[in-house]
């Protein structure tokens, strides 16, 4: 970490560079004429926002450029599970040691699922979307994929993710992982595609109900028949910070940078937005929602603080 006055000046210089870059890129922006205010500049390398009801474009910055998207991948993980025929959300899944081993090997975000615990599909979806549990992602892929081994089933599930992308018309999206931890560098999407995917996912009441929660407390049965309490906090700091925020998912890793898929509703108008590789993702999301809603909340927004020990993503 850089410290001292020089470090402060350096950070300021970097901030100015990003701002200037965002202003320069405004030629790539498209705004709906309904917005009275000037379209804001954002630090994201790619951004997109749409009207949830109509699907119309509200904001666009390099919206069709392919980029890695880190854990926002898990939106598709949830979408595939929720579209499973005859889905039983209360079906119980036994946590395997392989899920914990995977997280440890990757140094990935985790819901800290304990081996032998029995958790429901609904609980796994909470563990996937709030603390961004890669163990939960693997559990869902292992459960809803086909094959005779964990490896075969997770590969099968990833294939289902790509099939669903084609079904949804996401022509610039490809998955090689169930959680965003790509090993082949072929896990990518575009801001437009990711917004379209999220708009589709938000039509599921289960998904929409989960991603708007700041926190959840869940109870699972242990291998010995006891009860374990899981407390998961949502890594999306917009929730509880920006009035009207309703989701959706954070994502951060080295290839992708900080990413955010956000959603919000005010006065009957709902939007979904995407920011890929954005060092100011929460503030920029607030600026974009202000733009959509004709509001001015971003400047005074105080971000919710995550408790010590909570996952960051």
């Amino acid at each position: 970490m850089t410290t001292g006055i020089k470090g402060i000046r350096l950070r300021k210089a970097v901030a100015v560079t990003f701002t200037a870059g965002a202003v320069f890129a405004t030629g790539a922006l498209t705004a709906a004429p309904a917005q009275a205010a000037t379209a804001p500049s954002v630090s994201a390398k790619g951004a997109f926002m749409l009207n949830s009801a109509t699907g119309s474009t509200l904001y666009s910055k390099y919206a069709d450029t392919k980029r890695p998207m880190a854990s926002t991948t898990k939106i598709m993980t949830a979408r595939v599970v929720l579209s499973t025929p005859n889905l039983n959300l209360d079906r119980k899944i036994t946590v395997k040691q392989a899920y914990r081993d995977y997280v440890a090997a990757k140094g990935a975000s985790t819901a800290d699922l304990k081996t032998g615990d029995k958790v429901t599909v609904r609980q796994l979806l909470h563990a996937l979307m709030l603390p961004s549990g890669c163990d939960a992602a693997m559990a869902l892929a292992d459960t809803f994929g086909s094959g005779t081994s964990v490896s075969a089933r997770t590969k099968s599930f990833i294939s289902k993710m790509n099939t669903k992308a084609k079904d949804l018309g996401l022509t610039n999206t490809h998955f090689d992982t169930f959680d965003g931890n790509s090993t082949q560098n072929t896990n990518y999407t575009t801001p437009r595609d990711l917004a379209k995917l999220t708009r589709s996912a938000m039509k599921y009441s289960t998904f929409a109900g989960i991603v708007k929660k700041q926190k959840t407390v869940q109870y699972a049965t242990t291998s010995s028949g006891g009860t374990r309490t899981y407390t998961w906090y949502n890594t999306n700091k917009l929730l509880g910070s920006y009035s009207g925020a309703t989701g959706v998912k954070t994502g951060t890793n080295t290839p992708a940078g900080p990413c955010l898929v956000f959603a919000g509703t005010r006065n009957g108008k709902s939007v979904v937005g995407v920011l890929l590789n954005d060092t100011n993702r929460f503030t920029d999301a607030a600026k974009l929602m202000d733009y959509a809603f004709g509001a001015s909340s971003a400047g005074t927004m105080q971000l919710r603080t995550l408790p010590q020990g909570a996952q960051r993503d």
Side-chain angles (χ1 to χ4, degrees), residues 231-278:
T231 302
W232 295 313
Y233 295 91
N234 201 319
T235 57
N236 180 7
K237 294 182 182 179
L238 274 185
L239 299 172
S241 305
Y242 186 90
S243 177
T246 57
V248 173
K249 187 74 187 73
T250 59
T252 305
N253 61 22
T254 300
C259 301
L260 178 67
V261 178
F262 62 91
T265 300
R266 281 194 189 180
N267 300 320
K269 182 176 184 179
S270 296
V271 300
V272 167
V274 174
L275 295 161
L276 297 182
N277 202 340
D278 189 344

Side-chain angles (χ1 to χ4, degrees), residues 17-303:
T17 301
F18 282 151
T19 303
V23 172
F24 181 76
T26 53
L29 304 181
T30 303
Q35 269 69 44
T38 302
S41 295
V42 296
S43 301
K45 297 293 179 62
F48 189 78
M49 183 171 62
L50 55 75
N51 182 309
S52 298
T54 65
S56 61
T57 299
L58 299 176
Y59 188 96
S60 178
K61 176 181 177 181
Y62 304 117
D64 300 307
T65 300
K66 298 173 184 176
R67 296 187 182 280
M69 63 290 204
S71 282
T72 63
T73 294
K74 291 166 183 161
I75 296 170
M76 180 58 94
T77 307
R79 179 67 176 76
V80 170
V81 170
L82 289 168
S83 63
T84 301
N86 303 313
L87 176 65
N88 178 8
L89 288 168
D90 296 318
R91 173 186 174 186
K92 291 195 174 182
I93 310 299
T94 301
V95 177
K96 297 177 181 177
Q97 181 62 35
Y99 310 156
R100 293 184 61 84
D101 292 344
Y102 171 79
V103 166
K106 293 286 187 181
S109 53
T110 177
D112 197 23
L113 299 174
K114 302 298 186 183
T115 303
D117 281 7
K118 292 178 174 58
V119 292
T120 66
V121 173
R122 192 191 312 274
Q123 288 174 324
L124 284 175
L125 289 169
H126 280 82
L128 177 78
M129 299 305 294
L130 271 69
S132 197
C134 295
D135 44 357
M138 187 175 185
L140 290 168
D142 184 32
T143 299
F144 290 94
S146 302
T148 57
S149 67
V150 173
S151 176
R153 288 189 291 272
T154 53
K155 287 179 181 178
S156 165
F157 186 85
I158 294 167
S159 177
K160 290 184 178 184
M161 294 169 72
N162 285 310
T163 298
K164 183 60 66 178
K166 290 179 182 177
D167 292 345
L168 294 172
L170 310 182
T171 56
N172 292 312
T173 296
H174 183 266
F175 299 99
D176 65 24
T177 171
F178 48 75
D179 63 355
N181 286 304
S182 175
T183 56
Q184 305 166 44
N185 297 318
T186 55
N187 199 78
Y188 57 80
T189 190
T190 66
R192 188 190 307 274
D193 274 7
L194 190 49
K196 287 169 65 176
L197 166 61
T198 304
R199 181 186 180 218
S200 169
M202 290 292 278
K203 292 178 180 179
Y204 287 87
S205 58
T206 297
F207 182 88
I210 289 172
V211 299
K212 71 180 181 181
K213 295 180 181 179
Q214 297 179 40
K215 169 188 173 182
T216 187
V217 178
Q218 301 286 332
Y219 303 97
T221 303
T222 67
S223 57
S224 61
T227 300
R228 191 185 313 280
T229 302
Y230 287 101
T231 302
W232 295 313
Y233 295 91
N234 201 319
T235 57
N236 180 7
K237 294 182 182 179
L238 274 185
L239 299 172
S241 305
Y242 186 90
S243 177
T246 57
V248 173
K249 187 74 187 73
T250 59
T252 305
N253 61 22
T254 300
C259 301
L260 178 67
V261 178
F262 62 91
T265 300
R266 281 194 189 180
N267 300 320
K269 182 176 184 179
S270 296
V271 300
V272 167
V274 174
L275 295 161
L276 297 182
N277 202 340
D278 189 344
T279 53
N280 300 307
R281 55 184 173 169
F282 297 116
T283 302
D284 282 346
K287 286 163 61 176
L288 288 177
M289 285 195 286
D290 273 359
Y291 173 60
F293 300 141
S296 56
S297 305
T300 57
M301 180 180 70
Q302 296 294 315
L303 282 179

